[in-house]
């Protein structure tokens, strides 16, 4: 079966997706000898992917088709039903909560696990997430407009962001800079 590693738990378990029939499902698997995989998400789900875990590893986000078949706009918008970003407990034993329907890239967690960040229509968005007294997901809020072509790559410990921002357009020739250090390695 086709498999893809999504993230790791601090105790050494691997979070991954695996093709089961014509769909993908989320699993966790200990790397201890003789261990067997167990589902991370119980119940029906349509092709989950892109599943980062927050630092405390008690929650997960993933991208999947809406469970009710409703349409939305997001990654893979070529089809009539587009994926959503879900927030769920680990393991998911109740209904997951839709955090976003319009997005460009999958969500990233804040370092304290209290919010997720994602890109939508050229804007960096945030959604508050709480686990007590039960799992609740807030309303998406815009943080700031992103530079053209920017991609959210990571969230740092202080909740600052690593953005990949292209600096050259396809019509501009690249600039090559040679120094003595580089030239000496070419000999």
């Amino acid at each position: 079966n086709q498999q893809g590693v999504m993230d790791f738990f601090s105790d050494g378990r691997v979070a991954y997706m695996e093709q089961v029939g014509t769909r993908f499902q989320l699993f966790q698997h200990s790397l201890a000898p003789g261990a067997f995989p167990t589902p991370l998400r119980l119940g029906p789900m349509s092709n989950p992917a892109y599943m980062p875990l927050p630092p405390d590893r008690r929650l997960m986000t993933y991208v999947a088709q809406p469970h009710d078949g409703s349409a939305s706009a997001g990654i893979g918008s070529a089809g009539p039903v587009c994926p959503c970003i879900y927030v769920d407990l680990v393991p998911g034993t109740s209904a997951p909560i839709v955090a976003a329907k319009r997005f460009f890239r999958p969500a990233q967690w804040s370092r304290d696990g209290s919010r997720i960040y994602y890109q939508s229509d050229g804007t960096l968005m945030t959604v508050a997430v709480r686990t007590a007294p039960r799992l609740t997901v807030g309303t998406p809020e815009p943080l700031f407009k992103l530079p053209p072509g920017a991609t959210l790559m990571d969230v740092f410990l202080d909740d600052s962001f690593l953005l990949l921002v292209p600096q050259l357009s396809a019509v501009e020739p690249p600039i090559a800079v040679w120094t003595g250090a580089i030239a000496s390695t070419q000999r």
Side-chain angles (χ1 to χ4, degrees):
N1 289 338
Q2 184 179 358
Q3 298 175 329
V5 172
M6 298 293 179
D7 211 334
F8 294 90
F9 291 93
S10 56
D11 64 1
R13 289 174 292 149
V14 176
Y16 68 98
M17 68 174 185
E18 180 174 341
Q19 186 174 3
V20 178
T22 60
R23 297 183 180 262
F24 284 86
Q25 293 181 356
L26 297 174
F27 291 93
Q28 59 187 335
H29 196 293
S30 171
L31 299 179
F36 291 97
T38 58
L40 269 174
R41 172 81 216 126
L42 304 175
M45 183 184 340
S46 298
N47 298 330
Y50 309 108
M51 189 198 71
L53 300 168
D56 69 4
R57 307 303 204 232
R58 297 180 327 155
L59 298 169
M60 59 183 162
T61 62
Y62 55 85
V63 172
Q65 297 293 335
H67 301 297
D68 62 3
S70 63
S72 64
I75 288 179
S77 59
V81 178
C82 301
C84 295
I85 296 174
Y86 288 90
V87 175
D88 206 350
L89 297 169
V90 172
T93 55
S94 59
I97 299 173
V98 174
K101 291 185 178 183
R102 296 184 53 84
F103 61 96
F104 171 68
R105 303 259 310 163
Q108 300 272 346
W109 283 97
S110 65
R111 293 304 168 204
D112 66 1
S114 67
R115 20 187 81 255
I116 59 170
Y117 301 103
Y118 67 95
Q119 290 178 246
S120 177
D121 298 327
T123 302
L124 188 64
M125 305 289 289
T126 185
V127 178
V129 178
R130 294 185 184 182
T131 57
R134 66 185 192 293
L135 177 60
T136 58
V137 175
T139 302
E141 300 173 15
L143 285 178
F144 56 86
K145 283 289 191 190
L146 293 164
T151 301
L152 173 64
M153 300 303 290
D154 203 356
V155 180
F156 292 112
L157 293 175
D158 64 355
D159 281 342
S160 59
F161 307 100
L162 175 62
L163 299 174
L164 176 62
V165 181
Q167 295 297 309
L168 294 175
S169 70
V171 297
E172 296 175 4
I175 298 172
V177 177
W178 290 83
T179 69
I182 294 174
S184 68
T185 63
Q186 301 295 319
R187 293 185 192 142

